[in-house]
Amino acid sequence: MSKDQTIGEALRARGVSRRGFLKFCAATASMMALPPSMVPVIAAALEKASRPSVIWMSFQECTGCTESLTRSHSPTVEGLIFDTISLDYHHTLQAASGAAAEAAREAAMEENWGKYILVVDGSIPVGDPGYSTIAGISNMDMLLETAAGAAAIVSVGSCAAFGGIPHADPNPTGALSVRDLLQQYGDRKPDTHSAVYTAHSTDVDVKNKPIINVPGCPPIPVVITGVLAHFLTFGTIPELDELGRPMAYYGKSIHDRCYRRPYYDKGLFAETFDDEGAKKGWCLYKLGCKGPTTYNACATTKWNEGTSFPIEAGHPCLGCSEPDFWDGGGFYKAISTSTEDISRTAVYAIGAGAAAGVALGALNRAKKTRAVKAHQKVGIDDLEKDG
Amino acid sequence: MSETELLIWVRGPALQIATVVFLLGGVLRIFEILALGRKPNLAEPRGSALAGGLRTIITRSFPNRDTLQRSTFNVVAGYIFHIGFFIALFFFAPHILLFDDAFGVSWPALPTQFIDAVTVVTMIALVAVLLHRINHKVMRYLSRFQDYLVWLVTILPLVTGYFAFHRIGLTPPLLIAVHIASVELLMVVFPFTKLMHAFTLFLARYYNGAISGYRGVNS
Amino acid sequence: MQTQTESGCSATPGKVVTGNVIPLLHEVRHALQQLLDSGQEMVIDLRSIPMGPGEEDRIAEQLGRGEVQARLSALGPSEVVETRYPGVWLVTHHNNDGEIIGKFIEVCVIPRLVTAQHEDIRAGLQALSVQLAE
């Protein structure tokens, strides 16, 4: 595919009919969580949209996000969106390695400076840069350099968006999310940088680069591609919440859209994974479900082509699209319960209170007895003496 | 401190601290009262002190007709917010879970929509009670700082709970953290203020009833 | 509709009712009325509504099958089925692997996707002309 082609042209060149294109647009609208009435608008925009260059960087991650995105081997709609972008660098997927791979990245940066999309999965270690390097370049340097020429940054997965598992307590690598790193180190010049960076980076403010967070462990593939689709359809950043997540997908909590919600409202809960309640599909709140504090599209978009999602499979939500979900006090502990042993605390407190109360009471009694003993009766003589 | 860390702290160590202050302080004060003892009554008993005491604990839970007529507003609004607070505290499913998890006792929950409505009514009653206190000349004269403090720490858990349930204003973890913290504030303030009446009222009623019962009089 | 207990929960184990089916059908009814009155069409994306296990199938069951059934082959198969209620269509898009990539209820005279598209007609005309010229 030529890079100058529009997406409409690219699809037609692949023998996709107008019907196929409209079907693609309908599925894309659904994927972007837009109403079906937007299909003609999307069709018109996609027809003219150019294929953006994408540089994908993987730092401290498990490749689960890439796995989620590419798990499908056949041309799905996600696949097509993925094909319509020009993925110029992705060290897990690309054939090139070493110097050749880095040369490809630099070439893509040079050619599309200020216009390419930077996708990041994984967190960035700042404790010791040696924890994660690519081609001898520290993750921080590579991110600072590549972010400088990006039109927008998409942080895919909870690690890139919020630090994720590497950031979990005690965070041995000093892992930071993309947003935190750019905010804290955005004004720093990378120690190692390419000629492309030197040529362009005189007036770039990396601190204020638009960042779209697409958290999840992994994120729903349709959500990843939906965000890319939005960018390449409208050329803009979708509406974001305060955590930088697209409202279209992360606007409602799992709890609010959960099909088991009626059971929560009625107070019907599964107590264990195999009791009657579990078999009847009752609410999993007692089993530690983090649905009420988790914002994601799982309950409607679902997984595996809309087949199911964890709660439908009988497992409580782990809250993987929220910051620090790993340190949330236990996956199987209900949110309203304590993380400490309160009953023992209570017993000690009552014991100590009773003991102290009795001791104080005894002290008071002794004082009273002494007072009674010390009390001298006043007679008429005493009064006369003073008078 | 991140939101998650705050929530963990509030759910864990902070709750422990609050529990210690609440129980240690409360039990200490009750034992102190008990340990004071009472002067032995040398008069011939004309009835059972125990029966009289227990009866009064129950009878005084219902409003006295004269009092009801004299200060209808205080009695009605007072009952509404006390019962409402009790329902919201003990019959909201996540709250029962906390008791179950901590002490191994549980009971059936009421529907969340019902709890939601009760909470709104309770908050309205509490606001009305405060307005009444401010507008009523005598009550305002009698009111001290503690009365307003006690009112505040009572309504805070309801307001923050309502906001947390409907997820208004802040992120959900923060809303829950604030809600739990407000309850902990209530627990900490409890033993040092007139909130102690929740425990001592039974003692007071018992003594009143027992004195009358001993004399063979209904109280 | 399946039997429901007093509390509104499904009595059958494993079957959960979100309460979204009936409002959805009301929405369809409203849309049909609008189609009659003003010719305005409507599309509902079934993926945007929370559904319990089997609820999507129950909606399809409720809507039933009408007189027209069309199968499209464009970027994978698609099914366009008129429901028991004329003017209400159930459109299901699959990819080449048969996986469902979109499910819609369309309220219209005929889903636009079924009609021949101008661009395709033009391409077809060109192809036919080329063939005849040979």
Side-chain angles (χ1 to χ4, degrees):
Chain A
M1 264 191 268
S2 152
K3 277 183 184 168
D4 307 326
Q5 276 180 325
T6 66
I7 290 163
E9 286 164 354
L11 287 174
R12 263 197 300 284
R14 290 167 63 115
V16 176
S17 68
R18 181 70 187 175
R19 265 203 199 97
F21 180 67
L22 286 179
K23 174 173 163 178
F24 170 75
C25 292
T28 305
S30 176
M31 193 164 78
M32 286 195 272
L34 291 173
S37 55
M38 286 293 285
V39 170
V41 180
I42 293 166
L46 271 180
E47 184 65 56
K48 280 179 276 172
S50 57
R51 304 170 55 225
S53 165
V54 172
I55 295 178
W56 183 306
M57 300 217 270
S58 303
F59 298 137
Q60 292 191 128
E61 47 83 46
C62 68
T63 315
C65 297
T66 302
E67 203 56 58
S68 171
L69 186 61
T70 58
R71 130 226 63 81
S72 186
H73 301 286
S74 59
T76 59
V77 171
E78 299 99 283
L80 267 175
I81 283 285
F82 211 51
D83 286 349
T84 51
I85 62 177
S86 169
L87 188 59
D88 292 323
Y89 177 88
H90 187 310
H91 69 224
T92 314
L93 299 178
Q94 72 198 138
S97 62
E102 295 318 304
R105 175 171 65 89
E106 283 163 26
M109 282 167 64
E110 176 64 48
E111 202 178 319
N112 305 291
W113 189 265
K115 286 182 292 193
Y116 58 83
I117 301 174
L118 172 61
V119 180
V120 180
D121 64 333
S123 61
I124 303 97
V126 295
D128 179 341
Y131 281 123
S132 178
T133 62
I134 297 158
I137 305 166
S138 75
N139 287 172
M140 197 208 282
D141 282 356
M142 193 177 267
L143 178 62
L144 286 175
E145 165 175 294
T146 318
I153 301 169
V154 183
S155 296
V156 166
S158 290
C159 296
F162 303 131
I165 292 169
H167 181 266
D169 192 47
N171 190 3
T173 64
L176 283 183
S177 69
V178 172
R179 190 151 88 160
D180 285 348
L181 185 117
L182 292 189
Q183 252 155 33
Q184 290 173 31
Y185 299 93
D187 47 6
R188 184 192 275 199
K189 206 177 166 130
D191 295 334
T192 37
H193 52 263
S194 61
V196 186
Y197 177 84
T198 320
H200 289 282
S201 68
T202 44
D203 56 343
V204 186
D205 188 3
V206 189
K207 273 190 169 174
N208 295 318
K209 281 281 170 194
I211 299 175
I212 308 167
N213 282 335
V214 187
C217 194
I220 306 172
V222 173
V223 174
I224 307 176
T225 39
V227 170
L228 295 178
H230 184 104
F231 191 81
L232 70 100
T233 308
F234 302 113
T236 56
I237 308 283
E239 193 196 343
L240 306 176
D241 70 2
E242 72 269 27
L243 290 172
R245 305 177 293 193
M247 292 291 280
Y249 305 104
Y250 299 91
K252 286 256 164 66
S253 76
I254 298 286
H255 190 57
D256 284 342
R257 315 219 75 182
C258 181
Y259 74 96
R260 295 191 191 216
R261 176 63 189 263
Y263 294 110
Y264 171 86
D265 287 331
K266 292 190 186 82
L268 298 173
F269 300 97
E271 307 273 343
T272 64
F273 282 101
D274 55 356
D275 67 355
E276 267 315 293
K279 283 173 193 155
K280 283 181 178 158
W282 289 356
C283 177
L284 301 169
Y285 187 91
K286 282 194 179 184
L287 291 169
C289 187
K290 302 294 180 289
T293 52
T294 305
Y295 284 63
N296 206 338
C298 299
T300 41
T301 305
K302 303 193 177 176
W303 290 76
N304 300 320
E305 276 70 46
T307 307
S308 180
F309 72 113
I311 292 172
E312 194 169 334
H315 194 281
C317 168
L318 303 182
C320 75
S321 58
E322 295 299 319
D324 299 323
F325 80 100
W326 203 259
D327 296 322
F331 290 156
Y332 302 100
K333 224 165 168 7
I335 306 164
S336 69
T337 60
S338 179
T339 49
E340 301 288 342
D341 188 350
I342 290 300
S343 62
R344 189 189 294 178
T345 310
V347 167
Y348 288 156
I350 290 173
V358 168
L360 262 177
L363 221 66
N364 285 343
R365 273 184 161 230
K367 216 194 267 172
K368 206 163 109 189
T369 320
R370 267 203 309 278
V372 170
K373 266 194 190 147
H375 186 83
Q376 286 177 346
K377 290 216 165 95
V378 182
I380 190 88
D381 304 337
D382 301 309
L383 290 174
E384 272 178 359
K385 240 185 271 172
D386 282 341
Chain B
M1 192 186 247
S2 76
E3 283 179 12
T4 307
E5 282 167 333
L6 176 70
L7 182 58
I8 291 291
W9 183 75
V10 167
R11 280 171 65 192
L15 184 61
Q16 270 183 315
I17 295 166
T19 306
V20 167
V21 174
F22 174 67
L23 288 176
L24 199 150
V27 170
L28 187 144
R29 283 195 62 183
I30 290 170
F31 267 74
E32 218 186 348
I33 295 167
L34 289 175
L36 273 177
R38 301 184 79 80
K39 263 191 183 160
N41 195 336
L42 300 174
E44 190 74 19
R46 293 197 191 155
S48 162
L50 179 71
L54 293 179
R55 194 180 53 241
T56 307
I57 290 182
I58 295 161
T59 55
R60 293 236 174 133
S61 296
F62 303 99
N64 175 285
R65 188 179 296 164
D66 289 344
T67 321
L68 182 62
Q69 272 165 3
R70 228 179 307 123
S71 44
T72 315
F73 174 81
N74 267 340
V75 173
V76 173
Y79 268 85
I80 290 177
F81 91 72
H82 274 90
I83 294 169
F85 194 91
F86 184 84
I87 291 175
L89 173 58
F90 288 109
F91 290 97
F92 183 47
H95 297 167
I96 298 172
L97 260 186
L98 173 62
F99 293 112
D100 190 10
D101 185 68
F103 307 113
V105 282
S106 70
W107 49 90
L110 287 170
T112 49
Q113 292 92 343
F114 178 71
I115 302 284
D116 194 28
V118 165
T119 307
V120 172
V121 171
T122 309
M123 288 191 292
I124 292 170
L126 271 166
V127 169
V129 162
L130 179 73
L131 291 178
H132 183 67
R133 183 185 283 278
I134 294 170
N135 288 329
H136 196 285
K137 253 188 200 160
V138 180
M139 280 189 75
R140 189 175 58 224
Y141 178 73
L142 290 172
S143 296
R144 293 284 169 272
F145 169 73
Q146 201 197 98
D147 294 290
Y148 297 105
L149 174 75
V150 160
W151 178 88
L152 184 70
V153 296
T154 307
I155 200 170
L156 273 181
L158 290 159
V159 174
T160 56
Y162 183 82
F163 274 52
F165 181 73
H166 292 280
R167 289 187 280 274
I168 304 165
L170 303 167
T171 60
L174 210 53
L175 281 170
I176 293 178
V178 168
H179 173 57
I180 297 175
S182 75
V183 177
E184 287 161 359
L185 179 67
L186 175 70
M187 288 167 79
V188 168
V189 168
F190 201 96
F192 308 107
T193 55
K194 48 178 68 174
L195 285 170
M196 264 307 279
H197 77 274
F199 293 143
T200 52
L201 84 115
F202 297 107
L203 279 179
R205 279 183 195 168
Y206 178 82
Y207 280 141
N208 270 324
I211 292 164
S212 302
Y214 194 84
R215 293 174 183 160
V217 188
N218 267 353
S219 102
Chain C
M1 206 57 238
Q2 71 167 106
T3 46
Q4 295 195 347
T5 60
E6 240 173 288
S7 63
C9 285
S10 161
T12 331
K15 278 198 175 181
V16 183
V17 175
T18 54
N20 284 331
V21 177
I22 298 298
L24 186 79
L25 293 176
H26 275 290
E27 204 181 330
V28 170
R29 196 195 68 84
H30 186 72
L32 260 184
Q33 187 67 53
Q34 278 215 312
L35 182 67
L36 264 189
D37 294 348
S38 62
Q40 202 191 323
E41 302 177 348
M42 196 194 61
V43 186
I44 300 169
D45 183 353
L46 285 177
R47 281 286 158 78
S48 65
I49 303 161
M51 299 267 182
E55 269 194 327
E56 235 176 59
D57 295 339
R58 246 170 289 146
I59 288 170
E61 242 169 68
Q62 287 272 306
L63 292 173
R65 287 203 157 219
E67 291 168 342
V68 183
Q69 284 151 41
R71 250 184 103 69
L72 275 65
S73 231
L75 267 183
S78 292
E79 281 165 32
V80 179
V81 178
E82 194 184 30
T83 67
R84 179 188 309 157
Y85 313 104
V88 182
W89 306 79
L90 198 61
V91 180
T92 314
H93 295 312
H94 301 265
N95 63 14
N96 285 323
D97 275 0
E99 292 164 340
I100 295 173
I101 55 171
K103 216 171 192 180
F104 304 89
I105 292 177
E106 294 197 23
V107 181
C108 54
V109 176
I110 186 151
R112 228 169 272 173
L113 209 60
V114 179
T115 61
Q117 307 291 313
H118 271 286
E119 291 83 344
D120 293 342
I121 297 172
R122 206 174 297 129
L125 173 68
Q126 207 175 357
L128 185 61
S129 307
V130 168
Q131 199 191 328
L132 288 175
E134 274 169 4

